[in-house]
Amino acid sequence: MGVRRFFYITQDALVVWKAVGKAVVEETRFPSSDAGYELFSQYLESMPEARTLMVVDVIEEEFSTDSLPAVSGSDRRSLMERRLKKRFSRTPYRTGVYLGKRRRATDNFNAVYTAITNHELIDPWIALITRHKIPLIGITSIPLMSVDLLKEFRKPAENSMLVTLHQGGRLRLVFIKSGQAVSARLSRSLSEHEEGFGPALISEIVQSRKYLQRSRQLGADDPLDIYFIADEQAVSSALEDSQANFKAHIIDYTEAAKAFRIGAELKPGNMEALFLTRCIRKRPRLDYTLRDRVNYSKHLRARHFLIGAATAGAVACSIAAGGYLTSAFVFRNQTQSINAQIAQMEETYRRENEEFQPLRADSHEMKLAVDTGDYILRNSLPIEWVMAQVGRVMADQPDMHIGRLSWELEAVTDPDAAGRRPGRNDENLPVNIPRAAAVTANLSGEIRPYDGNLRHAFGKIDALARNLQQRTAFEHVAVAEYPIDARPGAALSGEVRRTGDNQLANFSLSLSLRVDDAAE
């Protein structure tokens, strides 16, 4: 959740701005007096809980540059902290920025320190905010945000100055060097459309340049690019007769409003609204946040995180519960369907069983029936297996068609049991079930289509027998019948008939298989 309220502190008041969509509007203001502090306290009591940001726009904001030795890491941070505290020891609202290496030196590095020197402008407001536990995410200022705002429209030059009108009648000038604000000035000014605005504007720019030259932040011959965010027509008229040594870049405030997708909320003399609007999109990089102050913003963020995590957990649990409940309903329906099928099968079994008379058999007869069933199951040849064996070869013989498949079992004979006759007391002994030793299968078929060439037909039948012998598990394959009796001693007689394309050549094969081999 982004910033929704801003406490904009000026020289004599605190103005509350609130976010409305992508823009900000002024909600109320409180004067810097005892009555104003009391009213602000009452306002905080009824203010909706929201993340807030304090933005300072006062004269008493100073900048100071410093040269650092070649140190890095924690040593550099400690050195900057000591020098910052030494230079601005009377205010807690201070910060430092490391700028990097100088261009003309090889062993020194730059840093800039800034602070709100008159902390009494802020302390009363901070005390009230802390007392009411308002989630304040930071304390920043207009100069600290100037670089980021300018980058939204133009790329700053090496020596740049951003000029904007604030608070309805104050001119804010921020000097930017190498992408970092190093000086700022706030002065009273005329409105853009008042007479004398042009000379007053040029005078302020000239004075600012002289100050920068005296402080050695800008050379006398160094170019200076000035960026104005204001009414383009008014600024252009003010700069017509100017002989100042700078290059002007005018960004019309309507163009700026369009870039931030805001409309009539932006007024020409209140560019602070533009700075605040950018804070809705992106939090400022630099601030004066106190390290020893209780950060209620983190507490709010932690609470929102916990609430969000709890909500997400509850949603996940609800989804899981819904899934389990759906599975339970499906399982119940399946169980009911299975129970109904079981009941139907039991009723069918009961009804069918009532139609049969009970079997009257002793234990020997029941044993005989069971052994006979075992014999049938043990010596039955699986049709699927036989067809798989035959199919290995028949796939390569498209004109050979199988019409009939039968087989016979060859039982193992027991000489001792064959000559023994049952005695008087042997009638209840278990029956000796013979065990099959081999299976002889008879395969009958025809050649279709058949062209009447017996030599070709014999060759195809012999080739089929050889393939079955070589490529299947059958031990012995022999041709039992040709289209005609081809034995040497057979007499050939009969009548050959042609009936067009429906000529057939029948054949029969005998295939032997040991039961033990088939089981393997």
Side-chain angles (χ1 to χ4, degrees), residues 296-367:
Y296 294 103
S297 174
K298 292 184 178 180
H299 295 178
L300 178 63
R301 187 162 56 248
R303 188 175 69 183
H304 287 170
F305 172 79
L306 293 176
I307 293 175
T311 303
V315 171
C317 292
S318 300
I319 294 174
Y324 285 123
L325 185 61
T326 302
S327 301
F329 278 117
V330 172
F331 179 75
R332 186 197 64 178
N333 295 336
Q334 292 178 348
T335 303
Q336 292 177 351
S337 176
I338 294 173
N339 291 334
Q341 294 177 12
I342 293 174
Q344 183 178 1
M345 294 176 64
E346 290 178 347
E347 177 61 24
T348 302
Y349 172 78
R350 185 191 61 77
R351 186 173 60 252
E352 296 293 337
N353 190 47
E354 289 177 351
E355 297 179 0
F356 297 97
Q357 296 296 329
L359 295 177
R360 300 182 181 277
D362 56 15
S363 59
H364 175 70
E365 293 174 338
M366 293 300 295
K367 180 67 168 59

Side-chain angles (χ1 to χ4, degrees), residues 1 14-15 45 60 144 154 156 160 171 187 304 313 340 361 376 450 467 472:
M1 184 175 63
L14 182 146
V15 184
E45 290 179 356
E60 293 92 341
L144 293 182
R154 302 286 190 275
S160 306
L171 189 66
S187 61
H304 287 170
I376 295 173
Y450 172 53
N467 289 335
T472 64

Side-chain angles (χ1 to χ4, degrees), residues 47-64:
M47 187 187 77
E49 187 177 65
R51 299 181 70 189
T52 59
L53 176 68
M54 179 174 286
V55 180
V56 182
D57 192 10
V58 297
I59 298 174
E60 293 92 341
E61 184 171 11
E62 294 185 9
F63 290 79
S64 176

Side-chain angles (χ1 to χ4, degrees), residues 153 229 251-267 271 274 277:
F153 308 104
I229 302 180
I251 304 170
D252 190 71
Y253 75 97
T254 57
E255 177 189 348
K258 188 180 299 184
F260 284 98
R261 299 180 181 179
I262 57 178
E265 295 86 353
L266 186 62
K267 305 299 181 182
M271 288 299 106
L274 196 62
T277 301

Side-chain angles (χ1 to χ4, degrees), residues 164-287:
T164 52
L165 282 170
H166 292 242
Q167 307 174 28
R170 291 183 180 272
L171 189 66
R172 169 62 76 177
L173 302 93
V174 180
F175 178 61
I176 302 170
K177 187 176 183 64
S178 300
Q180 178 60 46
V182 296
S183 179
R185 179 183 174 90
L186 181 64
S187 61
R188 294 189 177 275
S189 174
L190 299 175
S191 174
E192 295 171 319
H193 301 287
E194 290 182 350
E195 185 177 357
F197 171 73
L201 177 62
I202 299 300
S203 175
E204 290 294 336
I205 294 175
V206 170
Q207 292 182 26
S208 297
R209 180 170 186 125
K210 289 181 179 179
Y211 170 77
L212 295 173
Q213 292 176 0
R214 288 196 305 268
S215 60
R216 297 183 180 181
Q217 298 182 20
L218 184 67
D221 297 329
D222 290 343
L224 178 62
D225 290 66
I226 299 183
Y227 299 85
F228 299 89
I229 302 180
D231 189 336
E232 184 176 6
Q233 183 177 359
V235 175
S236 299
S237 300
L239 300 178
E240 283 182 354
D241 302 329
S242 173
Q243 301 296 327
N245 182 21
F246 61 83
K247 183 179 179 181
H249 306 268
I250 303 175
I251 304 170
D252 190 71
Y253 75 97
T254 57
E255 177 189 348
K258 188 180 299 184
F260 284 98
R261 299 180 181 179
I262 57 178
E265 295 86 353
L266 186 62
K267 305 299 181 182
N270 295 92
M271 288 299 106
E272 64 268 20
L274 196 62
F275 286 84
L276 302 181
T277 301
R278 188 192 178 279
C279 294
I280 299 177
R281 301 170 54 182
K282 189 179 295 184
R283 181 176 174 178
R285 294 182 296 111
L286 304 174
D287 59 32

